[in-house]
Amino acid sequence: MYKRYYNCVLCFIIALLTTVSKSQAQDLPKELYVAANIPDSLKENANSVVRYSDITQNVKGPGKLIVKHHTIVTILNEKGDHEATMAMQYNKKYDTYSGIEMHVYDEKGVLIKKYHKSDMYDGAADDGFSLVTDDRFLGVKHTIASYPVTIEQEYEEDETSLIDLDTWYIQNAEQSVQNEYYHLSINKDAGFRYMNKNINIKPEKNMADNIDTYSWKVLNLKAVKPEEGAVSWRVLPKIEFASNYFEFYGMPGDFSSWGSYGKWLRSLYADVSTLSPEREVEIRKMTDTIKTEKEKARFLYNYMQQNMRYVSIQLGIGGLKPFPATFVDQKKYGDCKALSNYMSALLKAVNITSYSAIINAEANKEPADPLFPFDSFNHVILCVPFKNDTTWLECTSTTAPFGVLGSFTENRRALLVTENGGKLVNTPKSTAQENQFDSNTHIVLDGDGGAKAQIKILGTGEYRQEYIDMSAMKTDEQKEALLTGLGIKQPSAFDFTFGKDINGTKEVELNLEFDKFCDIKSGDKQFYRPLAFTLWDQTVPILEKRKTDYYFDFPREKKSVTTIDLPQGFEVETLPTNQALKFTYGNYEVNYTYDAAKNQVTSIAKFNLTNHVIPAAKYTEMQQYLDAIVKAQNKKLVIRRKA
């Protein structure tokens, strides 16, 4: 990860801070500070209300701007507490802040607290994963005693290093807007561009002395409560700003196209992407008996995974330029861009072409827009364009199979940094068959309603990675994750092992004992849910009209075979009915059989989700389908004592 702004992490860090006080006077209308003046329509679904916001951005030249911020936000309840945090990230060499003030007002608009820059914590910005970074942050958090409370923030930022101009995040989730204004001035020859996202407003434009000035305003915008399963970038309004020319850490660049930006990035790699001649000879000797390019790449990827480790160090050029491949080779560590660059150098040593690819990582993150060049990236992977196919490599993982990305970076656009400039391409999308959960369970019931169960799980794709990650947890955390994730009743005894990881399949074995496994005992009858765990338990709310698509993390295929040995002296009275349920993007089926000779019940259940993004028009169908699955899994197996 290398993105300069870590806003979410900063809020977490600053939440640990204590606060002190100072002062500033205000001259805006009193009604903006009084909570009672908020229209009722703006309180609906709102945790906070932007009473007033004025952001003025003066672009002085490529990479140089001054931004003035002035916001007044009324917090209505504890869900809006993050609005009482003031956090600003900066680099000492390129960012300076002045005029920093935060004022706190009670519901009647009476000033109750003041903060200045001298009251703020000033420290290294810990993004949660980097060992070292150039970035620092200023931060203060006001602890709220009662609601509503109004927070006013003002500051001015002077930046002399940037790629994009900024993004105007007009509205957070469950936040309404009473008055917002954004002003931007820039030289008319700068190639200024902007793009509306989830809002359709146009600025007023004026020109004087070769300077274009744009002014936007938003009034009385109601709060948006994102629907369950929606992604914020498809819902919340924002406007992205960019210009064709920039300067970042003293290096000028052209962002008029993805191609030109890729050329600039390529220049950062020019002197760091080759191993020493002696080391290249060693790499060729390591692979000289391997016949195909793809198998050589597989061997070298496994070599890197076994010998290098991920350490995030964001120093110099804003975290965009990787450490030299020779450094990684000697030190045995690097961050995403350094390890991707190192893997590329290994391939280069055996004459295999590859390209670093920058991407916006994390499941279901917003993809880059082909029509609007803008740096929204936070991660680097590697693309290897073989003659007959293209292979993608996640170089920060020591466990990822060769050529498998996973939900962290799949199914979006990446910018290849090629010798001819940047090229925006799609990363592959996994299929349900590549994310399999396959289980085999043996349950032995006793006559008192207790049971012993043995469960063996085989996981591929995302399930494999889930269990690999789980195996690194503390024992108590592993136990809780397994019981909760599988929906297992609380056992009286529980033992588990994370087994082999072979050919992209991870094994997990569970051994459980239950003092009470049956749901109901009535006379000589016992009622059971005929499963040791729930194959699928997720449901979604009933909605009259779904507005946005529903996002799962990934498509998947699940199978569960369960064998139940009945207690001696018991027989089946009622076997659950077989079920076959269908949905446009998946199906569920379960079949039960009873072998009277063995006194054994066997069930085979299958669930698959073929597409992880469900169109809004199919939401009701999905909701009914998922409800039906839960009902099917709650059907009871009834056994009785033989006469």
Side-chain angles (χ1 to χ4, degrees):
M1 304 276 188
Y2 61 79
K3 190 69 176 175
R4 299 177 62 233
Y5 300 102
Y6 304 106
N7 293 335
C8 293
V9 179
L10 288 179
C11 289
F12 171 76
I13 298 168
I14 295 165
L16 303 177
L17 302 175
T18 56
T19 57
V20 217
S21 64
K22 289 277 172 178
S23 66
Q24 176 173 326
Q26 308 303 323
D27 54 9
L28 286 172
K30 175 72 173 176
E31 55 264 25
L32 291 176
Y33 302 86
V34 180
N37 291 328
I38 299 172
D40 289 341
S41 61
L42 297 184
K43 295 178 184 178
E44 185 179 353
N45 294 324
N47 299 321
S48 64
V49 183
V50 179
R51 313 297 302 282
Y52 174 84
S53 174
D54 192 331
I55 301 174
T56 300
Q57 186 175 162
N58 182 10
V59 183
K60 311 294 287 186
K64 297 176 177 60
L65 61 80
I66 295 174
V67 187
K68 295 181 179 180
H69 294 254
H70 187 182
T71 61
I72 303 171
V73 178
T74 297
I75 300 170
L76 303 178
N77 56 57
E78 62 183 9
K79 292 182 179 179
D81 280 3
H82 58 279
E83 298 292 345
T85 296
M86 195 172 190
M88 293 164 289
Q89 188 155 342
Y90 72 98
N91 180 291
K92 280 187 174 181
K93 188 174 181 180
Y94 297 106
D95 290 350
T96 58
Y97 287 92
S98 60
I100 299 174
E101 304 282 351
M102 185 164 83
H103 293 180
V104 183
Y105 302 84
D106 67 13
E107 63 180 317
K108 295 181 180 180
V110 177
L111 181 64
I112 57 176
K113 194 82 172 180
K114 303 177 183 179
Y115 301 90
H116 281 180
K117 181 178 180 180
S118 58
D119 302 314
M120 304 181 80
Y121 177 83
D122 186 353
D126 178 6
D127 57 25
F129 50 82
S130 293
L131 183 64
V132 183
T133 174
D134 278 334
D135 288 329
R136 298 182 64 80
F137 77 96
L138 288 165
V140 66
K141 180 179 185 295
H142 175 74
T143 301
I144 299 173
S146 62
Y147 303 91
V149 63
T150 297
I151 307 294
E152 181 176 34
Q153 297 183 5
E154 289 187 82
Y155 63 90
E156 181 175 306
E157 180 182 12
D158 189 341
E159 277 194 88
T160 57
S161 173
L162 55 93
I163 294 175
D164 301 314
L165 297 182
D166 207 346
T167 297
W168 180 23
Y169 295 99
I170 297 169
Q171 179 183 42
N172 294 327
E174 299 181 69
Q175 180 183 67
S176 60
V177 173
Q178 194 169 5
N179 305 277
E180 275 200 27
Y181 307 92
Y182 202 105
H183 311 280
L184 187 146
S185 61
I186 189 169
N187 189 290
K188 74 178 186 66
D189 299 321
F192 174 68
R193 300 175 280 114
Y194 70 90
M195 174 168 278
N196 290 352
K197 300 281 184 76
N198 305 313
I199 194 168
N200 186 23
I201 57 174
K202 294 182 179 180
E204 291 185 5
K205 182 181 176 182
N206 294 289
M207 189 184 77
D209 299 327
N210 214 40
I211 299 297
D212 288 336
T213 301
Y214 300 81
S215 298
W216 290 262
K217 68 178 178 180
V218 175
L219 304 176
N220 299 316
L221 185 63
K222 293 182 179 181
V224 175
K225 186 175 183 178
E227 296 169 311
E228 181 179 318
V231 290
S232 63
W233 56 269
R234 293 283 305 275
V235 178
L236 298 178
K238 65 180 179 180
I239 302 178
E240 294 173 341
F241 304 112
S243 62
N244 288 347
Y245 308 105
F246 66 89
E247 185 175 298
F248 191 63
Y249 278 66
M251 295 186 62
D254 182 336
F255 210 156
S256 57
S257 68
W258 288 115
S260 62
Y261 183 52
K263 286 182 179 179
W264 183 81
L265 288 171
R266 183 78 174 184
S267 70
L268 303 182
Y269 285 70
D271 59 345
V272 296
S273 299
T274 304
L275 296 168
S276 67
E278 298 79 13
R279 188 68 171 119
E280 287 189 338
V281 170
E282 293 177 5
I283 298 302
R284 285 192 285 273
K285 286 183 178 179
M286 290 165 55
T287 59
D288 61 4
T289 61
I290 302 174
K291 294 182 179 179
T292 68
E293 285 192 343
K294 193 160 190 176
E295 288 309 308
K296 285 185 178 183
R298 186 190 304 274
F299 174 87
L300 292 173
Y301 181 67
N302 292 336
Y303 170 81
M304 183 198 68
Q305 287 183 306
Q306 293 167 11
N307 291 277
M308 307 297 156
R309 61 192 177 95
Y310 173 75
V311 177
S312 179
I313 300 178
Q314 309 302 329
L315 295 174
I317 193 65
L320 295 181
K321 185 180 178 72
F323 285 143
T326 52
F327 175 92
V328 177
D329 196 49
Q330 294 166 6
K331 302 297 184 181
K332 310 301 182 189
Y333 66 80
D335 61 9
C336 62
K337 59 188 177 293
L339 291 174
S340 296
N341 180 60
Y342 175 69
M343 182 65 208
S344 181
L346 292 177
L347 294 172
K348 183 179 179 181
V350 294
N351 299 314
I352 297 175
T353 299
S354 62
Y355 301 113
S356 288
I358 57 176
I359 195 166
N360 196 13
E362 289 185 23
N364 294 321
K365 281 291 187 178
E366 183 175 8
D369 191 322
L371 301 178
F372 190 75
F374 186 84
D375 182 18
S376 59
F377 306 113
N378 61 10
H379 189 53
V380 180
I381 56 179
L382 192 69
C383 177
V384 190
F386 292 112
K387 184 177 181 180
N388 297 320
D389 63 38
T390 297
T391 296
W392 296 85
L393 301 176
E394 172 54 73
C395 297
T396 63
S397 173
T398 59
T399 58
F402 176 78
V404 176
L405 289 180
S407 62
F408 193 61
T409 52
E410 72 177 11
N411 193 32
R412 69 204 70 176
R413 300 184 188 97
L415 184 67
L416 299 189
V417 183
T418 78
E419 60 274 1
N420 297 317
K423 183 179 180 182
L424 207 60
V425 299
N426 294 325
T427 61
K429 177 182 178 181
S430 68
T431 65
Q433 293 74 26
E434 291 169 318
N435 300 303
Q436 288 196 10
F437 172 101
D438 195 345
S439 68
N440 197 298
T441 302
H442 185 202
I443 302 172
V444 180
L445 304 179
D446 65 43
D448 295 325
K452 293 183 178 179
Q454 294 179 315
I455 304 172
K456 184 174 182 178
I457 298 170
L458 303 178
T460 69
E462 291 295 321
Y463 289 109
R464 170 185 177 268
Q465 192 59 51
E466 177 182 342
Y467 292 123
I468 287 174
D469 293 343
M470 201 180 292
S471 66
M473 297 178 181
K474 296 178 182 178
T475 302
D476 288 346
E477 294 173 340
Q478 292 173 341
K479 179 178 178 180
E480 180 63 25
L482 287 168
L483 293 179
T484 303
L486 293 171
I488 297 175
K489 284 185 176 183
Q490 186 62 41
S492 53
F494 181 28
D495 183 34
F496 57 88
T497 57
F498 291 93
K500 298 176 182 178
D501 180 33
I502 301 175
N503 297 326
T505 301
K506 179 67 176 176
E507 296 181 3
V508 184
E509 294 188 10
L510 298 81
N511 291 283
L512 310 106
E513 294 183 16
F514 301 89
D515 293 334
K516 182 184 177 183
F517 190 68
C518 73
D519 295 324
I520 302 170
K521 292 174 69 175
S522 178
D524 64 351
K525 297 181 182 180
Q526 296 180 2
F527 296 74
Y528 292 89
R529 190 183 68 163
L531 303 163
F533 63 90
T534 304
L535 189 64
W536 184 264
D537 64 355
Q538 184 175 345
T539 59
V540 296
I542 297 173
L543 295 177
E544 184 176 333
K545 178 67 176 177
R546 178 78 181 191
K547 298 177 181 178
T548 54
D549 296 346
Y550 190 99
Y551 281 71
F552 293 94
D553 282 352
F554 54 91
R556 66 203 73 195
E557 190 172 278
K558 303 186 77 175
K559 180 181 178 182
S560 174
V561 178
T562 304
T563 303
I564 303 175
D565 293 349
L566 273 57
Q568 187 173 359
F570 281 77
E571 62 185 357
V572 169
E573 178 178 278
T574 304
L575 198 64
T577 55
N578 296 337
Q579 296 275 309
L581 305 169
K582 291 186 178 181
F583 167 53
T584 301
Y585 299 103
N587 60 67
Y588 172 85
E589 63 179 72
V590 60
N591 294 286
Y592 299 92
T593 57
Y594 175 51
D595 187 329
K598 294 181 179 179
N599 206 20
Q600 195 174 71
V601 173
T602 300
S603 67
I604 301 175
K606 298 178 181 178
F607 169 90
N608 71 64
L609 180 70
T610 58
N611 191 12
H612 77 290
V613 181
I614 311 302
K618 295 294 182 180
Y619 178 84
T620 298
E621 181 190 351
M622 178 185 73
Q623 181 270 318
Q624 294 170 350
Y625 166 70
L626 296 180
D627 276 0
I629 291 175
V630 171
K631 290 176 182 177
Q633 292 178 131
N634 284 326
K635 299 293 184 182
K636 302 299 181 187
L637 166 67
V638 184
I639 66 174
R640 67 185 175 195
R641 198 176 296 274
K642 294 178 181 178

